[in-house]
Amino acid sequence: MSPSANDQNGFAGKWPYELGLHDLGGGCYAYLQPDKPPYSGWSNAGFIHSDGDALLIDTLRDERLTAAMLRDIETKTGVASTDIPKLLNTHRDADHTFGNSLLKHAEIIATEFTARNMRERAPAVAGMQDYVKNRPEGIVGDYILYTWGSPFHIEGFEPALPTSTFSGQKDLRVGNLDVRFIEFGPAHTPSDTIVHVPERRIVYAADIVFLGNTPAIWAGPVSNWLAALDYLENLDVDIIVPGHGPITDKTGLAPTRRYVTMVEREARIRFEKGMSVAEAARDIDLGEFREWKAPERLMINVNTCYRHFRGDTQPTPRPELDRLVAPFAVELGSFRP
């Protein structure tokens, strides 16, 4: 789904898909970062402010981007970063956690599984600069630099980990508002959290919903992702803030559903034919999804489906994925070294 679909929801005029903090009403805000190359790094975040209390929903891909978001929040709401007492990380990914250190004073909340996953990955995350610096030559190295280098700044980066955890569901008050954290997963990642504000009929769906940007099935299975979309479909909400893409309503759930369903169906057909992951991804017709940002993630998604078909619970190492994805991105024309 492109931003034009957002127009059909009637939200483009009220909340255009533009960089910055958008007032959703009743103390709820969305911070949007429109997609641009490299498409793996530009995520949305949320902010809730009520009766002197505040909750930030996710940080961004680096501290510089997160600092800009915090300045925008202060400018538009009067709430300084030092006055934000709670931060939720909806899941482990860099574009939702790499700015955590700017809120070390706050209670950093995540699911127990996400917190454990972040602790286990901390050495690799801290060493990401070395991974980029020591990248292989050729297309694969160029792609690593494209996805992790400029405009992102990870030099000297140190992860700030969650300090408070929950499992399943957590209810809390933010000022006068009831806020509910609901865990799903494994789906996009091993554990994904949405944030529901019932009184405001708003849900921050994080990376359960992508609009115009190809979803990455890092964990799966697809059935769990579909279950999360079903839950969102049944919520009594009018506004959905996706992890990537424009603000939407329930019509915005359908594109992600169609995409992940298509990937699993087409991957299964090729798996049963004995095709390799690389052969299968190259053979699948993306159809309506061909124009989505980062279409090369199809390779990641087919690989994840194949793992589940084989009953393999171990994630594929990132260097192996980069070797698969980089040439595919060049072939699709989404990356030009």
Side-chain angles (χ1 to χ4, degrees), residues 89-150:
N89 288 143
T90 60
H91 60 293
R92 69 181 188 194
D93 283 356
D95 52 339
H96 298 260
T97 63
F98 271 24
N100 280 10
S101 63
L102 298 186
L103 285 99
K104 283 184 177 179
H105 65 277
E107 177 187 9
I108 303 178
I109 309 167
T111 68
E112 183 177 335
F113 205 113
T114 291
R116 183 165 71 247
N117 203 212
M118 288 173 68
R119 287 194 299 270
E120 291 168 349
R121 288 159 52 96
V125 167
M128 187 56 67
Q129 184 178 353
D130 290 335
Y131 180 63
V132 175
K133 182 179 179 180
N134 300 320
R135 65 191 183 278
E137 295 182 357
I139 290 173
V140 175
D142 291 342
Y143 188 74
I144 292 170
L145 183 62
Y146 167 72
T147 54
W148 286 103
S150 178

Side-chain angles (χ1 to χ4, degrees), residues 154-169:
I154 57 174
E155 296 80 4
F157 167 78
E158 293 184 8
L161 301 176
T163 57
S164 176
T165 63
F166 71 97
S167 294
Q169 183 173 302

